[in-house]
Amino acid sequence: MQNSEAMALSAALLAVAGDLTRRIHEGVAARGFEGLRPAHGFAFTRLAPDGATVTDLAVHLGVTKQAASQLVDELVRKGYAERRPHPGDARARLVVLTEEGRACTRAAEEAAAEAVRAWSEVLGEPELRALRERLLTIAPDGPIRPAW
């Protein structure tokens, strides 16, 4: 692949990722979850399973502990997360999603499904499934981070 082709592919993938982020964010807001930014959604992906410490979240987002702490403060203030004692480390606090935070995560999943359904209308279901498999083959393991 020539440099110009690689740049075109890179630009297309970044455009699709940006559009998907925007559509999920708009879908979440349309479902009544106000006062959130896309960065909050990236935090939710780390908090959703079992919670995380601020340090875990900072690593996940690729930010300082101070920045992650400020983000957590904001999520707690808005009622999307809460701090609890860490079950395995008395010095640490676990940040977990509240019921409102879990509902917001479900809204994001619905919005993502809507966006992907639109791709299916353009590509067709078999091609979309093939695209998914090919992307999963080359996608790096690890956290999905916002483009700061």
Side-chain angles (χ1 to χ4, degrees):
M1 181 174 280
Q2 295 181 8
N3 287 353
S4 60
E5 293 172 316
M7 285 303 298
L9 175 59
S10 298
L13 286 170
L14 290 170
V16 168
D19 183 62
L20 180 60
T21 300
R22 179 188 59 76
R23 292 177 72 177
I24 292 171
H25 179 68
E26 289 174 356
V28 166
R31 287 166 173 80
F33 297 93
E34 297 292 327
L36 294 171
R37 296 175 282 130
H40 294 122
F42 288 97
F44 279 28
T45 64
R46 179 62 182 91
L47 300 176
D50 300 312
T53 65
V54 169
T55 301
D56 295 334
L57 188 58
V59 169
H60 176 79
L61 296 174
V63 299
T64 65
K65 284 177 26 177
Q66 291 81 6
S69 184
Q70 290 174 349
L71 187 86
V72 168
D73 288 345
E74 192 176 351
L75 291 175
V76 168
R77 230 181 4 265
K78 293 176 185 230
Y80 292 108
E82 63 185 8
R83 289 181 175 92
R84 294 184 182 164
H86 193 291
D89 184 351
R91 299 167 298 155
R93 304 279 290 163
L94 194 63
V95 181
V96 297
L97 294 178
T98 61
E99 183 51 44
E100 185 74 358
R102 288 189 295 276
C104 184
T105 299
R106 289 188 296 273
E109 290 172 357
E110 292 169 5
E114 285 177 5
V116 171
R117 273 194 295 278
W119 297 347
S120 182
E121 292 171 13
V122 174
L123 298 175
E125 193 66 31
E127 189 65 27
L128 184 60
R129 288 184 193 282
L131 175 63
R132 177 184 168 272
E133 292 306 313
R134 286 182 178 87
L135 288 173
L136 288 173
T137 301
I138 61 171
D141 290 333
I144 300 170
R145 293 183 172 151
W148 301 104

